[in-house]
Amino acid sequence: MSTVGDSIDVIEPATERVIAKVPSAGMEETDRAVAKAKEAFATWRDVAAGDRATVLRRIAAAVEDQAMSLARLETRNVGKPISDALGEIGVVAATFAYYAGSPERLTGKTIPVPGGVNMTFKEPMGVVGLITPWNFPLAIASWGVAPALAAGNAVVLKPAQLTPLTAIELERIALQAGLPEGVFQVLAGPGSLVGERLVDHPDVAKIGFTGSTDVGKRISARASGTIKRVTLELGGKSANIVFADADLERAAAAAPGAVFGNAGQDCCARSRILVERTAMDRFLELLSTNVAAMRVGDPMDEATEMGPLITAQHRAKVASFLDDDTTVVARGSAPDGPGFWFAPTVVTPRSTDARVVTEEIFGPVACVMPFEDEEDAIAIANDTIYGLSGSIWTENGSKALRVARAVDAGTLSVNSNWSVRIATPYGGFKQSGIGRALGPDALDYYTELKNVYIAT
Ligand code: TAP
């Protein structure tokens, strides 16, 4: 991607070619979009709940109808395998369908109090600014857009400049599905202009941000200027904890997908694989075989398991983790180029301070470390500023639950890598974020709780 004058060149990571030019918004366009959203909100908030639900259902159906073309666009723009992209577009449709059930269920409570009764209402907030990353562009956008619209808000979405294409398509689909003009707008443009203006704008009631912890901190500080509501879905350094009593073959078969899925550009990538020392040799042997067998190549091929990285700059950053503090113990293959390829790589660290142990890599590099016992595993898993997700592999159910309760992370799976389910809350502890996406709880982050007292 590069910004040329007023347009963005969108690059295909697998070929390094420009595949689209998109208008790049600035401050003025942002102010205009917010003004239009504010006007649209005034009527959308009063649209009957059942009618809002119908529009969301129509968006879900249209996304499903156009799943293949949307998936192709996502694959070309991000470099992710087409089978993954199709799965993600399925998540987008399912997210709209799920939140289509919400407008009519956004109920409050009646609370008896002396001399009268209190009622609570979940009111829409107004104009919501959503700022999203490039790794799961449309899926993550839908996690904000669908509950925000369901609750009666208007939305201005700023997708990452690198990957704006499917978000632009979603705006078109929403209009065709009957969403009134101005209720949902997409503004491609730099975070330093469009993003910051949305955060500063007095008429934006809430910011839903998904991205890096560094930018999340900046947004959090800026948002204090207007006491803006903010939810933050940020980075991670999740642990994949493998006990010696686990089904090692199953754990080793799942481990590559848990960290090399989306070429490691996944906030919940289990990039620290913690293995009980007595099982280490066997686990590494199985893992190495599985990594060598990974199919890395043309993202449009249905058999491909891993595509390229997003940019040359990002590839250089990922490569910088293979420094003197690491030993490469297994490596898969990758095409030569063009394309921003990087082979899936497994390393062991030479010290616990190695960058590969402490920092989010956001690429296909897994760091394997031994632990001695349950207590040690928990201590290592929690020795990070992040707390997004993680997995625990053991055949002992009590131990699984003890460890899951003790790990400081928002989303844990036992004998599975699966983090994201539309009906359940997703988000981070510590510097992995504030608030939760998905599930019924997400609606609380797109509504204000109002309390009305009536004297009887
Ligand atoms: P960032 O560099 O943080 O960018 C995310 C979004 O913020 C982009 O749209 C970006 O715009 C915008 N932005 C940049 N600077 C900004 C500023 N000063 N003010 C307002 N907006 C600004 O992240 P990324 O590289 O796209 O994504 C990778 C990161 O996201 C990783 O850390 C990953 O873990 C995290 N992530 C977290 C989750 C969840 S759910 N926890 C999910 C996916 C990704 P431009 O880039 O277009 O300028």
Side-chain angles (χ1 to χ4, degrees), residues 131-135 140 143 158-161 189-192 195-196 209-213 215 218-219 233-236 267 360 362 388 426:
I131 303 173
T132 51
W134 46 260
N135 58 341
I140 285 174
W143 300 357
K158 192 213 90 62
Q161 291 175 91
S192 55
E196 290 191 359
F209 172 76
T210 308
S212 60
T213 293
V215 174
R218 262 180 270 154
I219 286 179
E233 301 285 344
L234 308 176
C267 49
E360 183 181 43
F362 222 57
L388 191 54
Y426 177 75

Side-chain angles (χ1 to χ4, degrees), residues 74-165:
E74 202 80 305
T75 285
R76 291 199 69 192
N77 197 171
V78 188
K80 62 178 69 222
I82 186 72
S83 53
D84 291 0
L86 256 179
E88 284 168 33
I89 301 303
V91 166
V92 174
T95 302
F96 277 97
Y98 179 82
Y99 287 107
S102 305
E104 290 160 301
R105 294 191 181 92
L106 266 181
T107 54
K109 289 179 183 154
T110 53
I111 306 161
V113 290
V117 67
N118 270 63
M119 293 179 278
T120 62
F121 297 86
K122 291 184 176 174
E123 304 284 14
M125 292 173 149
V127 179
V128 169
L130 295 175
I131 303 173
T132 51
W134 46 260
N135 58 341
F136 297 102
L138 199 58
I140 285 174
S142 72
W143 300 357
V145 176
L149 295 182
N153 300 287
V155 172
V156 178
L157 165 67
K158 192 213 90 62
Q161 291 175 91
L162 291 168
T163 57
L165 301 181

